[in-house]
Structures are given as structure tokens and as C-alpha cells.
Amino acid sequence: MDKVRIFDTTLRDGEQSPGATMHTDEKLEIARQLARLGVDVIEAGFPASSPGDLDAVQRIAREVQGPVICGLARCVERDVTAAWEAVREAERQRIHVFIATSDIHLEHKLRMTREQVISAARDMVALARSLCADIEFSPEDAGRSDPEFMYRVLEEAIKSGATTLNIPDTVGYVTPDEYYGMIAEIRRNVPGVENVIISTHCHNDLGMAVANSLAGVRAGARQIECTINGLGERAGNAALEEIVMAIHTRSQYYGVTTSINTTQLYPASRMVSNYTGMAVQANKAIVGANAFAHEAGIHQDGILKNRLTYEIMNAQTVGVPESTLVLGKHSGRHAFADRLDQMGYVLDTDQLNRAFTRFKEIADKKKYVAEADIEAIISDEVYQPQEIYHLEQLQITSGDHAIPTATVCLRTPDGSLLTDSAHGAGPVDAVYKAINRIVGVPNELVEFAVKAVTEGIDAVGEVTVRIEAKENGENGLPTNPQTGTKTRVFSGHGAATDIIVASGRAYMNALNKLLAVKQKLS
Ligand code: KIV
Ligand code: ZN
């Protein structure tokens, strides 16, 4: 069977999702997970957009082996040279050059004529090719471009050295039939196309990104651009896990394979969700909490008789942890490490030590610890940004005849301990106010979500928060180069058997991200 390359753009297009900004260490961890997952290409960022992006792509290029590492560039000389600078130390490098081809973009955004676009594409692809052997070219907004003009631009890109042609439906406008037609017509009308790989890049504004990408494969595309959890601008990009499992489950129909290790899909989804604070909806295909749950009596009866009655895939194939009882307070470090290994987590010694301490704390409170609990511990303890302030202690008083009051103790960056108290509308509000009195960074809580990881009264609770920096537009926070908006929303995640403690940890997590960005810029 033909192989379809999986090009992951979580760290570039995915990060453009509002509030999904990630720290370099988080990006590096995600890139390592993408390598374990077996993606063919990682688009690690847009190096010309900021020194931070260039640094992140450079570190990924140096430290992550396996996939091709790619950097994005507009058809501008400094973008192309920055992209090369960022990826040159990778084992295998790619530069991805793009320019819009739709009349709407030419007239209102680029203010360029068609001839100017052709010449910019030709010159910048040639420049990129003089630096790097693997060049991808994208006609942005291909879905709304005049096909004849787009064919001319694509032909020039091939002549100048492009090795992959990516066809973006930038605004998620086209239907699967139309996208199939676009790829088929490109294959018929662009001279030299038989020597390059055609790639799909579909956005999800009408909920058709995955269907469009798969239609592209049916028409002959052999690379798919996608993101973990479908993260991305507006309604997002095509979801990697859905594409991979569609090809895996219906391989005869599609007649292609991928080199993805499907058991790493769920850990990848959790990692991206935790680092970005973008929760995965319960009924999301493949990685949602209910994706493999059977509720209706008739379904449960069928499943007990034969799983094939209502299941086309099983949870283990995508790496969903079993919710069966697995470990207890007498389980040792070795058994814990062993279980992590089976669950697909690769931790260094320090991370393992921290996770094991948390496991023991939870095992003291719960009789048995399930895989789902372990997974929450890993998310909370390991996938965290560097701490500037650490929540040492938290204590609350609340009730229907008490004024909710919290006392918190934080370890400050210089190692000293500061304690303060506050009262609030409820215990969580009181905790956040007490923390604010110490940290003193104006912000507003814009989202707060709590969920139980397993069933039962002693379940571990997971809290996700999003906070917005509350200073004026000139607050020194970075601007997203593609949207022109200030990065102001930061997410945080925390887990504990006590949901007030989990709430405090989640808030500290988000505050630390905000502080790290401010520190970097000051
Ligand atoms: O959606 C889009 O057009 C893009 C390009 C930069 C490939 O993300
Ligand atoms: Zn895109």
C-alpha cells in the first residue's frame, strides 16, 4: 500500500489558536511526543515571527530526532533565511514557503498583482532551494483561488525547486467533493506535478477538515497536514488522530497506510490539551472521554456478547488508559515505573521521582489508583511550565454559614516563603484572591472547568483554567504575527483528590506562564 505522510503543524498552525501559546520547553516536549507518535514531518514554528519562535524551532531541530523538522516562511527573503537558520541543524530539514493566490488576498492583504505573486513565489522558492533540498510550497487560500492562476504559480514553484505542493483550504470553505476535484485537477493541469508530493491542509470552519483531507488522499494527495486535537485558527485544522484512525480502520477503502504508532495518540492528545489548556470535548472522536463508552443498555448487552457489535476500534489501539484498578498504596516505585512504561510515558529520573511522590499521596487517600488517575498525575506533575512561584500550602474555611476564606503560602523566586489570606465569593475565589495578593499580576479568570478523572467519591479532580492578562494593550506581551493580536490568555491545569487544591494548582500554573512571558520580555 502507498504511504501517506503525516505532517503535524500543532506547533505552528495549532499554536495560532487563541490562548494556545506554548513555552519553548512545552513545545520541545510535544515535539518529542510527536516523534514517538511517528509523524513524518513536524512544522515546529514560524521562525521569522519572533525570536522566541526561532529559538523554539532551533531547539527542536537540534534535539528531536526522527521526523523532518520544518519552518514556515512567507515569500520574503528574511523569512526564508530565518527558517533555514532555525532548521539547519536538524537531522532532516524542510523550509515551507507560502504566498496567497486568491484575488481576495491579492487585492486586500498583499496588494500585489498576479505577476508580482508569481515572481515572489519563483524567487523565494529558488532561494529556499539554494539552502535546503526539501522545499514545500503553499498557495494560501487555494480553496478560493482562480484555478488557472494557481496552476501557473504551482508550475513556477516546481520549476524553482519545490518538492512538495501543499493545497490549503485556508478558510475551511470547500466541500469534500470540491476538494477532491481540486487535487485531481492539479494533478491533471500542472506540468511537473508527477515529480512532487501533493499535500492537503484543511481548516475546519464548516466541520469538514478531516473529510476534505481524506477526499484529497482519494484524489492522490500523499501528505496530510493536521494537528493534535484539531487545534488551530478559529475552528481549527484537520484532527490528526481522526485522520490516522480513519486510514487505520478503513485501510482497504483508502488503500494507504501511515507510519503512526496509534497507541501514542491518546498521550499526545492529553499532552497538547494540558499544555494549551484547550479541553477536549467528551464526545470528540478517538480521544474524547466518551469515545469508547457504551451507555445504552442494548449497546452494553451487545458489547458483552461481542465487542464487534458496537465497536469499530478499541480503546487500547489509541492508547486510552484502562480505568480498571491497577495500583495501591503498597505498590512500589518499580511497579509504578513499569505501568508508566506500558502507558507510553517516557519520563526522566526527576520527573519520575515527582510523579511517584504524587502517586503515593493519592494512594494514601484512595484505596486503588487507576490508570486514569496516573495519567492525571502525569499531566499535573510533569507537563507543567517552569515554576516561578510554587504553591506550598493552601487552607480554606467555607460553608453555608462561614465567609469563604483562604490562606496560601507560596515559595517565591528567591526561595522565601510568603503567606497571605483573603476572603471571596466562594473557596476558589478566596484562594485566587489570596494568591493574587502575593503575586500581584493583574488578570481575570475567563474560564474554569472541573471534572472527575474516575468514578466514585474519592475520584481525582482535574481543573483547567484560563486567565487573561489585565493590563492595557501595551502590556509588553507578544503579538501574534499572523493575527496581529496580543497574546493575553494563559491556561493552567491541576489535579488532586481535593478540588480546591487542584484549583489552586491550575491557577498557579496559568500565572507562572503569564509571569514567564512577562519576564522574558522585561
Ligand atoms: O491555512 C493556511 O493557508 C496556512 C498556510 C500558511 C499553509 O496555514
Ligand atoms: Zn492553516
Side-chain angles (χ1 to χ4, degrees), residues 141-383:
D141 204 15
R144 294 186 300 170
S145 297
D146 166 9
E148 295 302 327
F149 172 59
M150 182 171 66
Y151 302 153
R152 279 180 62 206
V153 180
L154 292 175
E155 181 182 352
E156 287 303 325
I158 296 174
K159 283 194 203 149
S160 307
T163 45
T164 298
L165 293 183
N166 178 46
I167 312 302
D169 178 20
T170 305
V171 290
Y173 179 71
V174 307
T175 66
D177 285 349
E178 286 170 335
Y179 199 72
Y180 179 99
M182 276 172 66
I183 302 293
E185 289 304 309
I186 287 169
R187 292 185 72 200
R188 231 187 318 273
N189 289 293
V190 177
V193 73
E194 60 287 355
N195 302 319
V196 301
I197 303 283
I198 299 184
S199 166
T200 69
H201 180 109
C202 301
H203 280 266
N204 205 31
D205 298 67
L206 293 173
M208 294 191 280
V210 169
N212 285 352
S213 309
L214 293 168
V217 170
R218 295 274 288 163
R222 286 296 175 264
Q223 175 181 284
I224 303 177
E225 301 201 352
C226 44
T227 58
I228 302 289
N229 298 339
L231 194 68
E233 287 271 358
R234 309 179 306 278
N237 289 54
L240 182 148
E241 59 282 358
E242 295 178 21
I243 284 167
V244 166
M245 288 313 290
I247 291 176
H248 182 89
T249 310
R250 303 296 311 273
S251 55
Q252 291 307 319
Y253 178 76
Y254 286 109
V256 294
T257 55
T258 70
S259 39
I260 295 296
N261 172 0
T262 59
T263 62
Q264 291 295 330
L265 287 170
Y266 187 77
S269 163
R270 293 290 308 180
M271 186 186 279
V272 169
S273 171
N274 289 328
Y275 280 166
T276 57
M278 306 282 283
V280 173
Q281 81 202 46
N283 62 333
K284 161 90 174 61
I286 317 299
V287 290
N290 293 348
F292 296 93
H294 300 278
E295 184 74 17
I298 295 174
H299 288 212
Q300 288 178 347
D301 180 54
I303 286 284
L304 288 172
K305 288 175 175 146
N306 186 331
R307 300 199 76 83
L308 290 177
T309 51
Y310 286 102
E311 258 184 25
I312 59 165
M313 316 166 260
N314 69 57
Q316 287 71 43
T317 313
V318 303
V320 173
E322 285 174 34
S323 57
T324 46
L325 310 174
V326 289
L327 295 170
K329 71 186 212 181
H330 299 298
S331 306
R333 198 187 149 79
H334 186 74
F336 180 68
D338 218 46
R339 179 61 61 159
L340 287 179
D341 201 43
Q342 284 167 28
M343 289 168 72
Y345 289 112
V346 183
L347 306 190
D348 63 29
T349 315
D350 180 51
Q351 290 171 329
L352 179 63
N353 289 344
R354 283 189 281 128
F356 186 62
T357 308
R358 286 291 300 282
F359 160 72
K360 280 290 185 189
E361 277 167 25
I362 288 178
D364 265 346
K365 294 186 180 134
K366 288 186 75 176
K367 199 161 177 210
Y368 297 108
V369 181
E371 278 195 358
D373 295 318
I374 296 179
E375 207 237 315
I377 298 174
I378 299 297
S379 307
D380 190 37
E381 197 54 53
V382 180
Y383 303 153

Side-chain angles (χ1 to χ4, degrees), residues 12-13 72 96 98 138 140 166 168 170 201 203:
R12 199 279 298 170
D13 224 348
L72 182 70
H96 177 186
F98 77 99
S138 294
E140 189 191 9
N166 178 46
T170 305
H201 180 109
H203 280 266

Side-chain angles (χ1 to χ4, degrees), residues 308-521:
L308 290 177
T309 51
Y310 286 102
E311 258 184 25
I312 59 165
M313 316 166 260
N314 69 57
Q316 287 71 43
T317 313
V318 303
V320 173
E322 285 174 34
S323 57
T324 46
L325 310 174
V326 289
L327 295 170
K329 71 186 212 181
H330 299 298
S331 306
R333 198 187 149 79
H334 186 74
F336 180 68
D338 218 46
R339 179 61 61 159
L340 287 179
D341 201 43
Q342 284 167 28
M343 289 168 72
Y345 289 112
V346 183
L347 306 190
D348 63 29
T349 315
D350 180 51
Q351 290 171 329
L352 179 63
N353 289 344
R354 283 189 281 128
F356 186 62
T357 308
R358 286 291 300 282
F359 160 72
K360 280 290 185 189
E361 277 167 25
I362 288 178
D364 265 346
K365 294 186 180 134
K366 288 186 75 176
K367 199 161 177 210
Y368 297 108
V369 181
E371 278 195 358
D373 295 318
I374 296 179
E375 207 237 315
I377 298 174
I378 299 297
S379 307
D380 190 37
E381 197 54 53
V382 180
Y383 303 153
Q384 294 286 338
Q386 239 147 20
E387 281 196 314
I388 296 172
Y389 283 87
H390 176 74
L391 180 61
E392 285 286 343
Q393 261 180 2
L394 176 165
Q395 187 187 316
I396 57 138
T397 321
S398 92
D400 58 358
H401 282 86
I403 296 170
T405 310
T407 304
V408 299
C409 174
L410 304 189
R411 187 159 21 83
T412 66
D414 64 11
S416 55
L417 295 175
L418 290 180
T419 303
D420 214 326
S421 307
H423 54 81
V428 174
D429 187 41
V431 168
Y432 289 7
K433 284 190 172 133
I435 292 174
N436 286 346
R437 285 172 64 89
I438 299 177
V439 178
V441 178
N443 74 83
E444 187 187 334
L445 182 69
V446 290
E447 202 177 304
F448 177 90
V450 57
K451 73 169 200 214
V453 174
T454 49
E455 284 162 14
I457 197 75
D458 58 355
V460 169
E462 268 190 316
V463 174
T464 305
V465 299
R466 283 152 85 76
I467 60 172
E468 193 170 338
K470 263 291 165 244
E471 287 163 271
N472 59 39
E474 299 312 312
N475 61 7
L477 298 178
T479 301
N480 179 330
Q482 296 205 332
T483 61
T485 55
K486 292 272 178 192
T487 306
R488 298 236 302 260
V489 181
F490 298 85
S491 61
H493 174 267
T497 45
D498 180 324
I499 58 162
I500 307 295
V501 174
S503 306
R505 286 189 179 141
Y507 188 60
M508 283 313 305
N509 183 201
L511 266 184
N512 276 324
K513 286 186 184 172
L514 167 53
L515 287 166
V517 171
K518 287 192 74 126
Q519 262 184 10
K520 212 166 180 177
L521 293 165

